[in-house]
Amino acid sequence: MDHGSHPVTGSAGLDLAALIVRLVLLPATAFVAGIGLLRPQVDTLPRRLGQVTAALGVLSAVLAVVSAAAFDVNVVAAVVHALLVLAVPVLTTRRPPVGRWVAVGLLVLLILETALGRNGVEFAVDTVYVAGTAVWFGLAALALARVDTPRFGALSWTLGGGLALAAAVQLVLSGVAFDRRVYQTLFGVALLAALVLPIAATAARRFAVIGVAAAFLAWSAVVALPKPAELPVPGVPLLADAGGAPVLVSPQRPGVNLVHLSAPGSVRTGDGTSVEAVPRPGASGYWAEVELPAGRSELVVGDRVVEVDAGTSVGVPTASGPDGPECATTALGGLVAGRKDVLTSCPADELSEEDADALRKLVGFLADRKTQSITVVDDTTPRGTAAGRVVREAAAAHGIAVRPEGAALVVVSGWARAASALDGAAAAQREQPAYPFGLYVAPWLLTGPLVNSVASSTVPLRFDPREQAAVSYAVALDNAFPGEAATVTGFRQWLGPEQPAAPRVQLFASAQVNAMPMLPGQPHAPGMDSPGAGPGFFVPQGTVVPVSFPLG
């Protein structure tokens, strides 16, 4: 019976009815199991305690059946739970040794219900806490009923210490033990209660049952409550959840920041003026520029609040402005991979030697094709300026003229300038046979919104966008930020610093793909996606294939 944890992201709502049923069902079951385990240790069971055990058994059985009917709970497990929890009170009165073994089975089922969905250390911690609570329930109840229980004091301190230790381990594993989430969130408060209450209950023996019950309630709630989002770190772009929709904030420094959304929406800081998120040239999704104050503040996205912490240091200037979207989506690659790197530079700040080498080889390829002239589109960023210089120098070395209307177009600018250039090239090709030797883009320009703006384009790459690593990146990116376009710089960031040696440069052609249905206006057959549709495609609605051997 699934009363375990369910993945909850950000501030998604909790099913209150299911939580209430859980918080009554599990402690009642633990109490019944505890009495059944300890019943053979005493000569007689007080009548009132037997009646309480039976009543809790009936309550637990009823709630198990309700769970099967109202919630997504395994029916067979619910029936087994009900039968066991009803059998224990009967057998503890008539055949205590048999009742103990039935109680053991009930306890195993209770552990599985509580810890379902966990594994490893967390499952072991759950096992310790649930089993210890059940035994302590029985021990405290017998003591409260004034039944002579040998070594009650020593056993209670042992059980209380064991529960506190298990809660402490879980607190550390949760990641909230050493920050403000431990007292600012229900999740953290519940863990603290599960840690403190067993010690308090041990010290106050007269109220031990109440303390144990409260501790187990807190423990049961921990597994059901959504885990708090990680705290924002100044200078680390923030990937947050706003009511089920992803939000990317970059660079999370004082001043102008970009807020990236997957759908249209408005953004504001605190009580400030709302800013509508709009499309940006060359980028997917929607973008808004907001001014973040120093330190902690709140970003309101639609009707959801996202906590941010800009710190006090100055951010990277290129993280906002025309090249901001590329910088933000590059950082997103690292965030998707689970790294929290402080943003210290953006791709447009520097031309890497690998990309410079790829551009030189691209010009060499054009020279081998007897291309007599090219048009170069660059920009004023450090990368764009350096890339333009590399291409022009290589063209001069190969005797290729650089003209405003060349036979081939070579785009080495940032996204915004590239979007304008490619739109212009597409328009020119619709009017006349422009750029007969083709359209070529720098490696960092291979992203769906750019290359899909033209019928086809060619890009020099050191990886195959169809290889497993690239596909895995595209899938992970779409899972974390649905609809986000894959990027070469984001892929590099996703791979991390320990990357294999870069292979030789190879030219790849990116082209839009449209598959015609059987008849005009007829949709594709059910289950048959359009080419390029679905997760795992580096360029959605397009194909990227090699068109050259590795270039020397």
mmCIF file of all heavy atoms in Angstrom, residues 393-435:
data_model
loop_
_atom_site.group_PDB
_atom_site.id
_atom_site.type_symbol
_atom_site.label_atom_id
_atom_site.label_comp_id
_atom_site.label_asym_id
_atom_site.label_seq_id
_atom_site.Cartn_x
_atom_site.Cartn_y
_atom_site.Cartn_z
ATOM 1 N N GLU A 393 41.010 36.374 -41.866
ATOM 2 C CA GLU A 393 42.421 36.015 -42.079
ATOM 3 C C GLU A 393 42.535 34.689 -42.826
ATOM 4 O O GLU A 393 43.382 34.532 -43.725
ATOM 5 C CB GLU A 393 43.147 35.937 -40.739
ATOM 6 C CG GLU A 393 43.339 37.298 -40.072
ATOM 7 C CD GLU A 393 43.961 37.170 -38.690
ATOM 8 O OE1 GLU A 393 44.092 36.021 -38.200
ATOM 9 O OE2 GLU A 393 44.291 38.214 -38.088
ATOM 10 N N ALA A 394 41.698 33.718 -42.463
ATOM 11 C CA ALA A 394 41.724 32.431 -43.155
ATOM 12 C C ALA A 394 41.280 32.591 -44.610
ATOM 13 O O ALA A 394 41.844 31.956 -45.516
ATOM 14 C CB ALA A 394 40.824 31.428 -42.435
ATOM 15 N N ALA A 395 40.278 33.443 -44.831
ATOM 16 C CA ALA A 395 39.819 33.685 -46.204
ATOM 17 C C ALA A 395 40.928 34.307 -47.035
ATOM 18 O O ALA A 395 41.150 33.911 -48.196
ATOM 19 C CB ALA A 395 38.583 34.574 -46.195
ATOM 20 N N ALA A 396 41.634 35.283 -46.467
ATOM 21 C CA ALA A 396 42.741 35.917 -47.200
ATOM 22 C C ALA A 396 43.832 34.904 -47.506
ATOM 23 O O ALA A 396 44.424 34.912 -48.604
ATOM 24 C CB ALA A 396 43.298 37.075 -46.378
ATOM 25 N N ALA A 397 44.106 34.015 -46.557
ATOM 26 C CA ALA A 397 45.147 33.007 -46.783
ATOM 27 C C ALA A 397 44.769 32.047 -47.899
ATOM 28 O O ALA A 397 45.644 31.513 -48.590
ATOM 29 C CB ALA A 397 45.399 32.237 -45.484
ATOM 30 N N HIS A 398 43.481 31.808 -48.106
ATOM 31 C CA HIS A 398 43.022 30.887 -49.153
ATOM 32 C C HIS A 398 42.602 31.616 -50.427
ATOM 33 O O HIS A 398 42.111 30.968 -51.364
ATOM 34 C CB HIS A 398 41.840 30.060 -48.634
ATOM 35 C CG HIS A 398 42.225 29.012 -47.640
ATOM 36 N ND1 HIS A 398 42.817 27.822 -47.986
ATOM 37 C CD2 HIS A 398 42.113 28.985 -46.283
ATOM 38 C CE1 HIS A 398 43.035 27.097 -46.907
ATOM 39 N NE2 HIS A 398 42.616 27.789 -45.838
ATOM 40 N N GLY A 399 42.775 32.916 -50.469
ATOM 41 C CA GLY A 399 42.412 33.670 -51.669
ATOM 42 C C GLY A 399 40.919 33.846 -51.861
ATOM 43 O O GLY A 399 40.454 34.021 -52.995
ATOM 44 N N ILE A 400 40.153 33.822 -50.766
ATOM 45 C CA ILE A 400 38.702 34.022 -50.846
ATOM 46 C C ILE A 400 38.400 35.483 -50.508
ATOM 47 O O ILE A 400 38.838 35.992 -49.467
ATOM 48 C CB ILE A 400 37.955 33.093 -49.881
ATOM 49 C CG1 ILE A 400 38.237 31.625 -50.213
ATOM 50 C CG2 ILE A 400 36.461 33.364 -49.917
ATOM 51 C CD1 ILE A 400 37.617 30.639 -49.236
ATOM 52 N N ALA A 401 37.635 36.127 -51.342
ATOM 53 C CA ALA A 401 37.279 37.531 -51.108
ATOM 54 C C ALA A 401 36.144 37.614 -50.089
ATOM 55 O O ALA A 401 35.260 36.759 -50.055
ATOM 56 C CB ALA A 401 36.871 38.195 -52.402
ATOM 57 N N VAL A 402 36.175 38.653 -49.252
ATOM 58 C CA VAL A 402 35.101 38.928 -48.302
ATOM 59 C C VAL A 402 34.315 40.109 -48.833
ATOM 60 O O VAL A 402 34.848 41.221 -48.947
ATOM 61 C CB VAL A 402 35.657 39.217 -46.891
ATOM 62 C CG1 VAL A 402 34.515 39.549 -45.936
ATOM 63 C CG2 VAL A 402 36.444 38.024 -46.372
ATOM 64 N N ARG A 403 33.060 39.910 -49.202
ATOM 65 C CA ARG A 403 32.231 40.923 -49.839
ATOM 66 C C ARG A 403 30.866 41.005 -49.156
ATOM 67 O O ARG A 403 30.423 40.041 -48.531
ATOM 68 C CB ARG A 403 32.038 40.587 -51.329
ATOM 69 C CG ARG A 403 33.317 40.538 -52.141
ATOM 70 C CD ARG A 403 33.039 40.057 -53.535
ATOM 71 N NE ARG A 403 34.258 39.991 -54.344
ATOM 72 C CZ ARG A 403 34.323 39.430 -55.543
ATOM 73 N NH1 ARG A 403 33.241 38.861 -56.075
ATOM 74 N NH2 ARG A 403 35.471 39.436 -56.210
ATOM 75 N N PRO A 404 30.176 42.144 -49.306
ATOM 76 C CA PRO A 404 28.817 42.263 -48.755
ATOM 77 C C PRO A 404 27.847 41.261 -49.368
ATOM 78 O O PRO A 404 26.893 40.844 -48.723
ATOM 79 C CB PRO A 404 28.425 43.703 -49.078
ATOM 80 C CG PRO A 404 29.728 44.426 -49.238
ATOM 81 C CD PRO A 404 30.680 43.439 -49.820
ATOM 82 N N GLU A 405 28.063 40.880 -50.619
ATOM 83 C CA GLU A 405 27.181 39.911 -51.281
ATOM 84 C C GLU A 405 28.032 38.779 -51.819
ATOM 85 O O GLU A 405 28.258 38.655 -53.030
ATOM 86 C CB GLU A 405 26.369 40.581 -52.389
ATOM 87 C CG GLU A 405 25.414 41.650 -51.884
ATOM 88 C CD GLU A 405 24.593 42.273 -52.995
ATOM 89 O OE1 GLU A 405 24.816 41.905 -54.172
ATOM 90 O OE2 GLU A 405 23.737 43.114 -52.695
ATOM 91 N N GLY A 406 28.521 37.938 -50.931
ATOM 92 C CA GLY A 406 29.386 36.842 -51.327
ATOM 93 C C GLY A 406 28.600 35.633 -51.786
ATOM 94 O O GLY A 406 27.367 35.573 -51.705
ATOM 95 N N ALA A 407 29.339 34.619 -52.234
ATOM 96 C CA ALA A 407 28.705 33.387 -52.707
ATOM 97 C C ALA A 407 28.262 32.505 -51.551
ATOM 98 O O ALA A 407 27.427 31.610 -51.727
ATOM 99 C CB ALA A 407 29.677 32.632 -53.618
ATOM 100 N N ALA A 408 28.821 32.716 -50.355
ATOM 101 C CA ALA A 408 28.423 31.961 -49.173
ATOM 102 C C ALA A 408 28.321 32.926 -47.999
ATOM 103 O O ALA A 408 29.045 33.934 -47.945
ATOM 104 C CB ALA A 408 29.429 30.855 -48.875
ATOM 105 N N LEU A 409 27.437 32.628 -47.089
ATOM 106 C CA LEU A 409 27.258 33.448 -45.892
ATOM 107 C C LEU A 409 27.864 32.708 -44.701
ATOM 108 O O LEU A 409 27.536 31.550 -44.445
ATOM 109 C CB LEU A 409 25.773 33.708 -45.635
ATOM 110 C CG LEU A 409 25.441 34.509 -44.369
ATOM 111 C CD1 LEU A 409 25.942 35.939 -44.487
ATOM 112 C CD2 LEU A 409 23.946 34.489 -44.077
ATOM 113 N N VAL A 410 28.754 33.382 -43.965
ATOM 114 C CA VAL A 410 29.381 32.809 -42.780
ATOM 115 C C VAL A 410 29.010 33.681 -41.587
ATOM 116 O O VAL A 410 29.429 34.845 -41.510
ATOM 117 C CB VAL A 410 30.908 32.708 -42.926
ATOM 118 C CG1 VAL A 410 31.518 32.095 -41.666
ATOM 119 C CG2 VAL A 410 31.274 31.881 -44.154
ATOM 120 N N VAL A 411 28.233 33.148 -40.649
ATOM 121 C CA VAL A 411 27.738 33.908 -39.501
ATOM 122 C C VAL A 411 28.506 33.477 -38.257
ATOM 123 O O VAL A 411 28.487 32.297 -37.893
ATOM 124 C CB VAL A 411 26.228 33.690 -39.284
ATOM 125 C CG1 VAL A 411 25.715 34.583 -38.158
ATOM 126 C CG2 VAL A 411 25.462 33.976 -40.569
ATOM 127 N N VAL A 412 29.191 34.425 -37.617
ATOM 128 C CA VAL A 412 29.995 34.122 -36.427
ATOM 129 C C VAL A 412 29.665 35.075 -35.278
ATOM 130 O O VAL A 412 30.443 35.243 -34.353
ATOM 131 C CB VAL A 412 31.508 34.190 -36.752
ATOM 132 C CG1 VAL A 412 31.883 33.109 -37.749
ATOM 133 C CG2 VAL A 412 31.887 35.566 -37.271
ATOM 134 N N SER A 413 28.500 35.688 -35.321
ATOM 135 C CA SER A 413 28.097 36.656 -34.293
ATOM 136 C C SER A 413 27.414 35.939 -33.141
ATOM 137 O O SER A 413 27.375 34.705 -33.075
ATOM 138 C CB SER A 413 27.138 37.670 -34.911
ATOM 139 O OG SER A 413 25.938 37.022 -35.323
ATOM 140 N N GLY A 414 26.827 36.719 -32.227
ATOM 141 C CA GLY A 414 25.974 36.175 -31.190
ATOM 142 C C GLY A 414 24.595 35.873 -31.729
ATOM 143 O O GLY A 414 24.297 36.095 -32.905
ATOM 144 N N TRP A 415 23.712 35.393 -30.843
ATOM 145 C CA TRP A 415 22.400 34.945 -31.289
ATOM 146 C C TRP A 415 21.552 36.046 -31.925
ATOM 147 O O TRP A 415 20.938 35.834 -32.967
ATOM 148 C CB TRP A 415 21.636 34.357 -30.108
ATOM 149 C CG TRP A 415 22.140 33.037 -29.638
ATOM 150 C CD1 TRP A 415 23.242 32.370 -30.068
ATOM 151 C CD2 TRP A 415 21.533 32.218 -28.635
ATOM 152 N NE1 TRP A 415 23.384 31.193 -29.410
ATOM 153 C CE2 TRP A 415 22.357 31.059 -28.517
ATOM 154 C CE3 TRP A 415 20.417 32.336 -27.835
ATOM 155 C CZ2 TRP A 415 22.049 30.032 -27.621
ATOM 156 C CZ3 TRP A 415 20.113 31.323 -26.933
ATOM 157 C CH2 TRP A 415 20.927 30.178 -26.834
ATOM 158 N N ALA A 416 21.507 37.206 -31.289
ATOM 159 C CA ALA A 416 20.625 38.274 -31.774
ATOM 160 C C ALA A 416 21.011 38.699 -33.181
ATOM 161 O O ALA A 416 20.166 38.804 -34.080
ATOM 162 C CB ALA A 416 20.667 39.461 -30.813
ATOM 163 N N ARG A 417 22.280 38.968 -33.413
ATOM 164 C CA ARG A 417 22.756 39.375 -34.742
ATOM 165 C C ARG A 417 22.597 38.241 -35.731
ATOM 166 O O ARG A 417 22.241 38.457 -36.898
ATOM 167 C CB ARG A 417 24.219 39.801 -34.639
ATOM 168 C CG ARG A 417 24.833 40.260 -35.962
ATOM 169 C CD ARG A 417 24.410 41.679 -36.295
ATOM 170 N NE ARG A 417 25.044 42.135 -37.515
ATOM 171 C CZ ARG A 417 24.533 41.965 -38.746
ATOM 172 N NH1 ARG A 417 23.364 41.334 -38.895
ATOM 173 N NH2 ARG A 417 25.170 42.411 -39.806
ATOM 174 N N ALA A 418 22.833 37.011 -35.293
ATOM 175 C CA ALA A 418 22.691 35.860 -36.183
ATOM 176 C C ALA A 418 21.241 35.668 -36.613
ATOM 177 O O ALA A 418 20.966 35.325 -37.769
ATOM 178 C CB ALA A 418 23.206 34.598 -35.492
ATOM 179 N N ALA A 419 20.302 35.886 -35.685
ATOM 180 C CA ALA A 419 18.887 35.739 -36.033
ATOM 181 C C ALA A 419 18.506 36.707 -37.134
ATOM 182 O O ALA A 419 17.811 36.352 -38.102
ATOM 183 C CB ALA A 419 18.027 35.969 -34.795
ATOM 184 N N SER A 420 18.977 37.952 -37.032
ATOM 185 C CA SER A 420 18.687 38.952 -38.058
ATOM 186 C C SER A 420 19.328 38.576 -39.390
ATOM 187 O O SER A 420 18.708 38.677 -40.456
ATOM 188 C CB SER A 420 19.185 40.320 -37.588
ATOM 189 O OG SER A 420 19.038 41.286 -38.601
ATOM 190 N N ALA A 421 20.581 38.110 -39.331
ATOM 191 C CA ALA A 421 21.294 37.759 -40.562
ATOM 192 C C ALA A 421 20.649 36.567 -41.259
ATOM 193 O O ALA A 421 20.504 36.555 -42.490
ATOM 194 C CB ALA A 421 22.756 37.465 -40.241
ATOM 195 N N LEU A 422 20.276 35.553 -40.505
ATOM 196 C CA LEU A 422 19.669 34.365 -41.114
ATOM 197 C C LEU A 422 18.272 34.653 -41.638
ATOM 198 O O LEU A 422 17.866 34.116 -42.683
ATOM 199 C CB LEU A 422 19.640 33.221 -40.104
ATOM 200 C CG LEU A 422 21.018 32.653 -39.725
ATOM 201 C CD1 LEU A 422 20.887 31.614 -38.617
ATOM 202 C CD2 LEU A 422 21.701 32.029 -40.944
ATOM 203 N N ASP A 423 17.512 35.490 -40.928
ATOM 204 C CA ASP A 423 16.198 35.898 -41.454
ATOM 205 C C ASP A 423 16.365 36.633 -42.781
ATOM 206 O O ASP A 423 15.607 36.412 -43.734
ATOM 207 C CB ASP A 423 15.485 36.801 -40.448
ATOM 208 C CG ASP A 423 14.934 36.021 -39.263
ATOM 209 O OD1 ASP A 423 14.795 34.790 -39.381
ATOM 210 O OD2 ASP A 423 14.634 36.654 -38.229
ATOM 211 N N GLY A 424 17.369 37.520 -42.833
ATOM 212 C CA GLY A 424 17.635 38.246 -44.079
ATOM 213 C C GLY A 424 18.069 37.307 -45.191
ATOM 214 O O GLY A 424 17.664 37.467 -46.349
ATOM 215 N N ALA A 425 18.889 36.311 -44.856
ATOM 216 C CA ALA A 425 19.338 35.356 -45.869
ATOM 217 C C ALA A 425 18.171 34.529 -46.389
ATOM 218 O O ALA A 425 18.068 34.265 -47.591
ATOM 219 C CB ALA A 425 20.406 34.440 -45.275
ATOM 220 N N ALA A 426 17.281 34.111 -45.496
ATOM 221 C CA ALA A 426 16.117 33.334 -45.925
ATOM 222 C C ALA A 426 15.225 34.155 -46.853
ATOM 223 O O ALA A 426 14.725 33.645 -47.859
ATOM 224 C CB ALA A 426 15.333 32.870 -44.702
ATOM 225 N N ALA A 427 15.037 35.432 -46.504
ATOM 226 C CA ALA A 427 14.223 36.307 -47.352
ATOM 227 C C ALA A 427 14.879 36.499 -48.709
ATOM 228 O O ALA A 427 14.212 36.477 -49.752
ATOM 229 C CB ALA A 427 14.016 37.652 -46.655
ATOM 230 N N ALA A 428 16.219 36.682 -48.717
ATOM 231 C CA ALA A 428 16.924 36.885 -49.986
ATOM 232 C C ALA A 428 16.839 35.638 -50.857
ATOM 233 O O ALA A 428 16.669 35.731 -52.085
ATOM 234 C CB ALA A 428 18.386 37.236 -49.708
ATOM 235 N N GLN A 429 16.943 34.447 -50.240
ATOM 236 C CA GLN A 429 16.875 33.213 -51.022
ATOM 237 C C GLN A 429 15.485 32.957 -51.590
ATOM 238 O O GLN A 429 15.344 32.259 -52.592
ATOM 239 C CB GLN A 429 17.338 32.034 -50.166
ATOM 240 C CG GLN A 429 18.829 32.025 -49.880
ATOM 241 C CD GLN A 429 19.252 30.846 -49.036
ATOM 242 O OE1 GLN A 429 18.490 30.350 -48.206
ATOM 243 N NE2 GLN A 429 20.493 30.390 -49.221
ATOM 244 N N ARG A 430 14.474 33.508 -50.953
ATOM 245 C CA ARG A 430 13.125 33.363 -51.501
ATOM 246 C C ARG A 430 12.921 34.260 -52.717
ATOM 247 O O ARG A 430 12.065 33.988 -53.567
ATOM 248 C CB ARG A 430 12.085 33.705 -50.432
ATOM 249 C CG ARG A 430 11.931 32.640 -49.355
ATOM 250 C CD ARG A 430 10.689 32.868 -48.521
ATOM 251 N NE ARG A 430 10.784 34.092 -47.732
ATOM 252 C CZ ARG A 430 11.239 34.153 -46.490
ATOM 253 N NH1 ARG A 430 11.672 33.044 -45.893
ATOM 254 N NH2 ARG A 430 11.289 35.301 -45.840
ATOM 255 N N GLU A 431 13.690 35.330 -52.807
ATOM 256 C CA GLU A 431 13.539 36.281 -53.904
ATOM 257 C C GLU A 431 14.426 35.953 -55.095
ATOM 258 O O GLU A 431 14.055 36.201 -56.243
ATOM 259 C CB GLU A 431 13.853 37.693 -53.405
ATOM 260 C CG GLU A 431 12.930 38.195 -52.292
ATOM 261 C CD GLU A 431 11.507 38.380 -52.773
ATOM 262 O OE1 GLU A 431 11.314 38.668 -53.985
ATOM 263 O OE2 GLU A 431 10.585 38.243 -51.957
ATOM 264 N N GLN A 432 15.623 35.408 -54.831
ATOM 265 C CA GLN A 432 16.591 35.170 -55.896
ATOM 266 C C GLN A 432 17.578 34.094 -55.434
ATOM 267 O O GLN A 432 17.613 33.756 -54.252
ATOM 268 C CB GLN A 432 17.339 36.462 -56.220
ATOM 269 C CG GLN A 432 18.057 37.070 -55.020
ATOM 270 C CD GLN A 432 18.681 38.407 -55.337
ATOM 271 O OE1 GLN A 432 18.830 38.774 -56.502
ATOM 272 N NE2 GLN A 432 19.055 39.153 -54.312
ATOM 273 N N PRO A 433 18.409 33.567 -56.332
ATOM 274 C CA PRO A 433 19.380 32.538 -55.935
ATOM 275 C C PRO A 433 20.557 33.137 -55.172
ATOM 276 O O PRO A 433 21.665 33.254 -55.690
ATOM 277 C CB PRO A 433 19.841 31.929 -57.259
ATOM 278 C CG PRO A 433 19.130 32.634 -58.345
ATOM 279 C CD PRO A 433 18.417 33.787 -57.791
ATOM 280 N N ALA A 434 20.306 33.541 -53.939
ATOM 281 C CA ALA A 434 21.349 34.143 -53.097
ATOM 282 C C ALA A 434 22.165 33.054 -52.412
ATOM 283 O O ALA A 434 21.650 31.983 -52.102
ATOM 284 C CB ALA A 434 20.717 35.060 -52.063
ATOM 285 N N TYR A 435 23.426 33.352 -52.173
ATOM 286 C CA TYR A 435 24.357 32.463 -51.466
ATOM 287 C C TYR A 435 24.340 31.049 -52.069
ATOM 288 O O TYR A 435 23.995 30.074 -51.387
ATOM 289 C CB TYR A 435 24.033 32.401 -49.978
ATOM 290 C CG TYR A 435 23.952 33.765 -49.327
ATOM 291 C CD1 TYR A 435 22.740 34.247 -48.816
ATOM 292 C CD2 TYR A 435 25.073 34.583 -49.245
ATOM 293 C CE1 TYR A 435 22.665 35.509 -48.232
ATOM 294 C CE2 TYR A 435 25.009 35.841 -48.655
ATOM 295 C CZ TYR A 435 23.794 36.295 -48.156
ATOM 296 O OH TYR A 435 23.720 37.543 -47.582
#
